[in-house]
Amino acid sequence: IVAELWADTLRLYEMYMSDFKDAAPWDTKWIVWIARFLEKAERLFTFEAKKSTENDTFTMKLLHKTIKKVSEDIENYKCNTAIAALSILVNNWLPTDSKNEAEWKTSFTKLLHPFAPHLAEELWERIWNTWSIFNTTWPKFNPEMIIDDVVTIWVQVLGKLRWTIEIAPTETQESAMEKVMQNSDIKKWIDGKEIVKIVYIPGKIFNIVVK
């Protein structure tokens, strides 16, 4: 396997097979998947690199969410889910802005290093670093960058789900109420009734109590 698919591929596969504490069957088809993931990651550091179809805000938020996810997974010996998170990041491709691209490549290489040290060292050199990645520091996520711009919450009338709405997680009750009242389905459940109470948990639920 090392001769055909690189040592890093074998290393990643053994960590990806299952949770650290669980046993797992050996399955060569997943070794090929790991090899393709590494090849895809390597291409992002060449002139053939693809740019994300998402806007840079989405791409950079995904990067910071991945930093948080991988950091926590390493602490909890969940290498398999950390590698899955890195795969999702790679599949989104690169940001379009050159400054964001530089930050993305630097952070991604550091995240990859514990799992694929040989490739990470090579990629680190490709982004014009003259010292070993082994001597650098672990990336830190920006707490503001892991907050979603919008969330989907349930809108309930008397505890029964009637609609879902996409709003900012920090939306005020007044603002959320305005958007809820724009929906005709909600209106029919409260027309002619008195609104007794509104239970609003930002980012989670909006419940209207009527009589």
Side-chain angles (χ1 to χ4, degrees):
I1 292 172
V2 171
E4 294 179 5
L5 300 172
W6 313 342
D8 281 343
T9 302
L10 177 59
R11 179 184 172 92
L12 253 75
Y13 173 64
E14 290 186 327
M15 287 187 280
Y16 184 73
M17 287 173 66
S18 68
D19 192 280
F20 186 77
K21 65 181 182 299
D22 297 331
W26 185 270
D27 191 338
T28 54
K29 71 178 182 181
W30 288 112
I31 300 177
V32 175
W33 179 88
I34 290 292
R36 289 173 179 169
F37 158 66
L38 291 176
E39 290 169 357
K40 190 180 297 184
E42 189 270 339
R43 284 199 299 273
L44 292 179
F45 291 74
T46 69
F47 292 111
E48 300 176 359
K50 291 185 179 181
K51 302 292 185 177
S52 176
T53 56
E54 302 285 354
N55 60 58
D56 273 15
T57 299
F58 176 89
T59 301
M60 296 308 289
K61 281 192 171 187
L62 180 59
L63 171 66
H64 283 267
K65 289 177 182 178
T66 305
I67 294 173
K68 181 177 185 293
K69 172 67 174 170
V70 173
S71 300
E72 293 173 348
D73 284 350
I74 289 176
E75 290 289 339
N76 294 307
Y77 295 95
K78 294 185 178 295
C79 296
N80 55 331
T81 54
I83 294 170
L86 288 173
S87 175
I88 292 172
L89 182 64
V90 166
N91 286 336
N92 186 67
W93 311 115
L94 295 173
T96 56
D97 179 76
S98 58
K99 184 178 179 181
N100 288 336
E101 180 180 332
E103 179 186 344
W104 192 101
K105 287 182 175 180
T106 297
S107 296
F108 172 75
T109 308
K110 291 179 180 181
L111 294 175
L112 183 66
H113 183 235
F115 306 100
H118 302 89
L119 178 60
E121 192 74 58
E122 168 67 21
L123 300 181
W124 187 249
E125 185 177 320
R126 289 190 194 181
I127 52 178
W128 311 107
N129 291 301
T130 56
W131 66 95
S132 172
I133 191 173
F134 183 79
N135 294 319
T136 192
T137 56
W138 188 250
K140 295 181 179 180
F141 67 89
N142 181 345
E144 295 181 358
M145 292 293 285
I146 64 172
I147 300 174
D148 291 324
D149 294 328
V150 295
V151 293
T152 301
I153 67 169
W154 290 357
V155 179
Q156 298 179 335
V157 179
L158 291 176
K160 292 185 178 181
L161 176 63
R162 301 301 182 187
W163 190 42
T164 59
I165 183 175
E166 290 189 347
I167 60 176
T170 56
E171 195 105 21
T172 64
Q173 179 172 306
E174 293 74 18
S175 177
M177 184 63 177
E178 288 182 10
K179 294 178 179 179
V180 167
M181 293 305 294
Q182 292 174 6
N183 183 268
S184 58
D185 289 334
I186 295 298
K187 287 182 179 180
K188 75 180 182 182
W189 289 103
I190 62 177
D191 277 351
K193 298 179 182 178
E194 178 187 351
I195 297 178
V196 178
K197 184 180 180 181
I198 292 177
V199 179
Y200 174 54
I201 304 175
K204 294 184 179 180
I205 195 170
F206 192 101
N207 186 30
I208 303 173
V209 181
V210 298
K211 68 175 182 178

